[in-house]
Amino acid sequence: MHWHHATGTLALDQPRLLAIVNVTPDSFSDGGQATTVERAVALARRLVEEGADVLDVGGESTRPNAAPVPLAEEVRRVVPTVEALRRELPEVPISVDTVKAGVARAALAAGASIINDVSAFRLDAEMAAACAAGGAGVVLMHSRGTVGDMASFEHAVYGPDLLADIVAELRVATDRARAAGLAANQVVVDPGLGFGKRTAHSVAILRGLDRLAALGYPVLVGASRKRFVGELSGVGEPRGRVAGTIAANVLALTRGARLFRVHDVAANREALATAWSILQHA
Ligand code: HH2
């Protein structure tokens, strides 16, 4: 399987890591870490040395009650970082985590390869066309509601078969992507761990992830440092949730996930490479 994006192709013949570069002042576990272009580039350089395959740049936090970010401000945060990363690390594809078509267009024009839309094209009617026009790879993440409440439990109400609901809602998104002209090999799906999901929901998703993989698109998971990992591992401090994150990611790998959005690249790389080698010998 290959993921085609605006600047090339990523082979999914092994687990791949999207490293998180949040250029936000307020993200839940790493806000304020990379608020200047220089700091974002330094962080990205380290993450690439640790084994990142893609850099995922985000300019708007989805933390519940985070301040909404106007388009111009999000462009101001994201675009100079994309330009600098493209210049300094030209081999590494850049993903931009945004729900806004205006940000996606500006980022793709600045050299981004992938648009990671945590609303799976629900919140901006122009997003699918913007991604198609830019030849982007896309991540379609399951969520409900707005940026301000999608990471809360506001919409955490599902029928008796949670995976069936998520797969059905993601199929709407993949159909929208294909109708806009994106090819199947440009699309990746993500169940949206923690987004309108209580811990029991995230657990059920991880256990049944093969049903999402059965949609036929590569699967990405974002477990990194999340609250459900803290609840399952008993670790309150987000930065301390590395081992729990790895447990969730390795489990997801065995159920078909091939892409992993993480803060802690070196540790996840090591664990996923080991697990992958063992799975290859099965
Ligand atoms: N999770 C977050 C943000 N973007 N994108 C995808 N595809 N999948 C995810 O699970 C996902 C995501 C939330 O994490 P983080 O970026 O660390 O925090 P914040 O939203 O506060 O910036």
Side-chain angles (χ1 to χ4, degrees):
M1 231 194 271
H2 287 79
W3 189 15
H4 291 251
H5 55 74
T7 62
T9 301
L10 185 65
L12 302 178
D13 55 350
Q14 54 180 292
R16 296 293 186 181
L17 297 181
L18 273 78
I20 300 168
V21 181
N22 278 328
V23 292
T24 48
D26 57 350
S27 287
F28 81 97
S29 85
D30 59 355
Q33 206 189 336
T35 45
T36 66
V37 172
E38 292 70 27
R39 291 176 74 185
V41 170
L43 171 62
R45 221 183 263 291
R46 174 168 69 75
L47 296 171
V48 168
E49 280 165 17
E50 291 182 14
D53 298 293
V54 176
L55 295 162
D56 187 43
V57 178
E60 179 173 47
S61 175
T62 50
R63 198 170 46 81
N65 304 318
V69 181
L71 171 66
E73 169 63 14
E74 197 177 330
V75 168
R76 193 194 64 74
R77 288 181 188 177
V78 167
V79 168
T81 301
V82 171
E83 286 170 347
L85 292 175
R86 196 81 190 119
R87 193 170 57 242
E88 302 292 326
L89 297 162
E91 304 303 317
V92 186
I94 300 163
S95 157
V96 171
D97 188 339
T98 186
V99 300
K100 298 187 185 78
V103 175
R105 277 191 214 99
L108 290 164
S113 304
I114 292 158
I115 299 301
N116 172 20
D117 182 353
V118 297
S119 82
F121 294 168
R122 285 185 303 104
L123 295 179
D124 189 327
E126 294 179 21
M127 188 57 126
C131 291
V138 297
V139 180
L140 302 176
M141 194 200 80
H142 179 268
S143 64
R144 294 170 172 175
T146 63
V147 171
D149 68 10
M150 62 169 61
S152 72
F153 297 143
E154 188 74 23
H155 306 281
V157 181
Y158 300 91
D161 186 347
L162 169 76
L163 256 299
D165 290 356
I166 291 172
V167 168
E169 288 169 44
L170 277 175
R171 191 173 284 124
V172 172
T174 59
D175 286 351
R176 195 173 286 165
R178 303 299 305 283
L182 287 153
N185 60 22
Q186 288 173 271
V187 176
V188 163
V189 293
D190 178 336
L193 293 168
F195 282 86
K197 283 99 182 174
R198 298 180 187 278
T199 293
H201 295 135
S202 291
V203 166
I205 288 166
L206 286 167
R207 291 180 62 88
L209 203 63
D210 46 328
R211 292 175 61 198
L212 179 55
L215 257 184
Y217 297 96
V219 174
L220 182 150
V221 290
S224 195
R225 299 182 182 176
K226 281 189 177 160
R227 174 157 60 171
F228 80 93
V229 173
E231 286 184 10
L232 296 173
S233 62
V235 178
E237 169 57 38
R239 285 170 193 266
R241 297 173 182 162
V242 183
T245 297
I246 287 171
N249 281 341
V250 168
L251 200 287
L253 178 73
T254 68
R255 304 281 207 268
R258 288 292 172 271
L259 293 136
F260 304 84
R261 181 180 181 274
V262 297
H263 301 85
D264 306 287
V265 171
N268 277 281
R269 165 101 283 155
E270 198 176 310
L272 288 164
T274 305
W276 183 246
S277 297
I278 295 167
L279 289 168
Q280 297 314 290
H281 284 85

